Amino acid sequence: MTFPLTFSPEVAKAVADKTAIVALESTIITHGMPYPQNVETARVVEETVRTHGATPATIAVMDGQLHIGLTETQLTTLAQSTNVAKLSRADMAACMATGGTGATTVAATMIAARLAGISVFATGGIGGVHRGAEHSFDISADLRELAKTDVTVVAAGAKAILDVPKTLEVLETLGVPVIAYGQDSFPAFWSAASQHSAPLRMDSAADIAHAQIVRRDMGLEGGQLIANPIPKDAEIPQEVINPIIEQALSEADAQSISAKAVTPFLLGHIFELTEGASLTANIALVLNNAKLAAKIAQEIAKR
Ligand code: PSU
Ligand code: MN
């Protein structure tokens, strides 16, 4: 290979032992949460994966190296850096070729996980079709990645800042299985339920693992999106969060925020408007996703 793929000692051991591994993204650390909650959350997420029987592999590009698993020092350095790139499919290779440092989005983390032979990945929420996409054409590269790359992604649905029905339509067009875990409705990130029903439902980690293996055996490219609802006691009701989302969206519009800056801007604004409640909920749902991902990874490792 023309580029370095660097495994942390912990992940290298799990690969050698063929035990369960869960990939974790780093954009949520650098662009999704403020310091120091970002690094604290990253540590607790890793610990949650371990307590539930799998090895966490946080993924990032640092000084041109694609890291599969970060050491404590690397994690802290990344979380404190202020001008880290936000990497997706389009710019990941360029960052590595030029010795740069960047955090991986869902799309880039899926690519890295596949290269490292990791089948399961836990995050908060995937990117999707933005509201007003009929004018802006803003559709996250995460969706096409799910259609191409064979990794099961556990998320709390798509972020409620998006156009959820359009996101579901695009996922259907792209042939991505969207599976709600333990409920019929598609979860809305900060709230457990939405008005939209999920195309598929599964109630066990074993079924989810099996479905991925069947897809692989059939030669179907692409992954699966597992939509895992936020725990009820941590959710922000839709009637509370929706007006706040509207306010953040009009502010983004007024400031002409576009492209990669949209998602971080909205998350930061919603954090301020909810006085931190959005972050507390975000942390709870990521931990919940890490737990389910660890169970799925174990089922896959068994087979
Ligand atoms: N979910 C979160 N926080 C985040 C993101 C998702 O709770 O920061 C990040 C993910 O890395 C996702 C990215 O892949 O936002 C999507 O960005 P965009 O909409 O620009 O594709
Ligand atoms: Mn975008």
Side-chain angles (χ1 to χ4, degrees):
M1 276 192 280
T2 57
F3 63 88
L5 194 64
T6 312
F7 288 85
S8 68
E10 184 189 13
V11 178
K13 181 170 188 314
V15 171
D17 297 349
K18 297 187 164 46
T19 53
I21 305 176
V22 172
L24 300 166
E25 63 154 307
S26 45
T27 295
I28 190 167
I29 304 173
T30 55
H31 294 72
M33 292 183 184
Y35 181 83
Q37 287 97 330
N38 61 350
V39 65
E40 288 160 12
T41 305
R43 287 195 195 110
V44 187
V45 172
E46 289 199 343
E47 209 37 50
T48 304
V49 171
R50 290 188 194 102
T51 344
H52 290 86
T55 300
T58 302
I59 290 172
V61 176
M62 296 183 83
D63 303 319
Q65 305 230 326
L66 178 50
H67 287 274
I68 312 295
L70 299 180
T71 62
E72 179 62 31
T73 320
Q74 288 166 334
L75 193 65
T76 311
T77 307
L78 194 72
Q80 287 177 323
S81 312
T82 45
N83 55 1
V84 177
K86 174 181 163 189
L87 303 177
S88 191
R89 165 174 280 262
D91 37 22
M92 192 182 189
C95 178
M96 289 159 62
T98 55
T101 293
T104 51
T105 58
V106 168
T109 306
M110 288 179 77
I111 293 169
R114 184 189 54 78
L115 288 169
I118 303 172
S119 303
V120 184
F121 160 26
T123 183
I126 60 158
V129 181
H130 279 263
R131 301 191 196 180
E134 61 275 32
H135 303 292
S136 67
F137 276 52
D138 189 350
I139 301 177
S140 176
D142 292 351
L143 300 184
R144 223 178 65 94
E145 206 57 53
L146 278 161
K148 274 187 86 75
T149 299
D150 178 9
V151 172
T152 287
V153 179
V154 183
K159 270 167 297 213
I161 53 175
L162 301 166
D163 188 321
V164 173
K166 284 198 184 76
T167 301
L168 288 170
E169 287 292 349
V170 170
L171 286 165
E172 185 185 64
T173 302
L174 293 172
V176 176
V178 176
I179 303 167
Y181 182 67
Q183 69 179 31
D184 293 325
S185 115
F186 185 69
F189 198 70
W190 290 290
S191 324
S194 71
Q195 305 85 301
H196 312 285
S197 56
L200 298 164
R201 168 183 175 157
M202 285 185 185
D203 295 315
S204 77
D207 284 350
I208 294 167
H210 194 191
Q212 172 158 344
I213 290 163
V214 172
R215 279 179 62 84
R216 202 172 277 175
D217 290 348
M218 289 173 75
L220 294 175
E221 58 178 5
Q224 316 187 98
L225 175 61
I226 309 307
N228 186 29
I230 183 172
K232 273 273 178 226
D233 59 359
E235 77 172 342
I236 307 179
Q238 286 196 64
E239 54 284 11
V240 175
I241 197 78
N242 282 347
I244 290 171
I245 293 170
E246 293 296 340
Q247 202 179 329
L249 285 165
S250 28
E251 193 54 39
D253 206 36
Q255 294 189 34
S256 304
I257 307 290
S258 68
K260 278 174 188 276
V262 175
T263 300
F265 177 91
L266 292 173
L267 291 175
H269 227 71
I270 292 167
F271 170 77
E272 283 165 24
L273 292 170
T274 60
E275 290 163 358
S278 66
L279 180 61
T280 309
N282 198 341
I283 294 169
L285 66 85
V286 177
L287 295 177
N288 192 43
N289 294 342
K291 202 160 99 181
L292 177 58
K295 289 188 202 157
I296 300 167
Q298 283 182 74
E299 291 293 337
I300 290 178
K302 259 198 241 169
R303 292 155 201 254

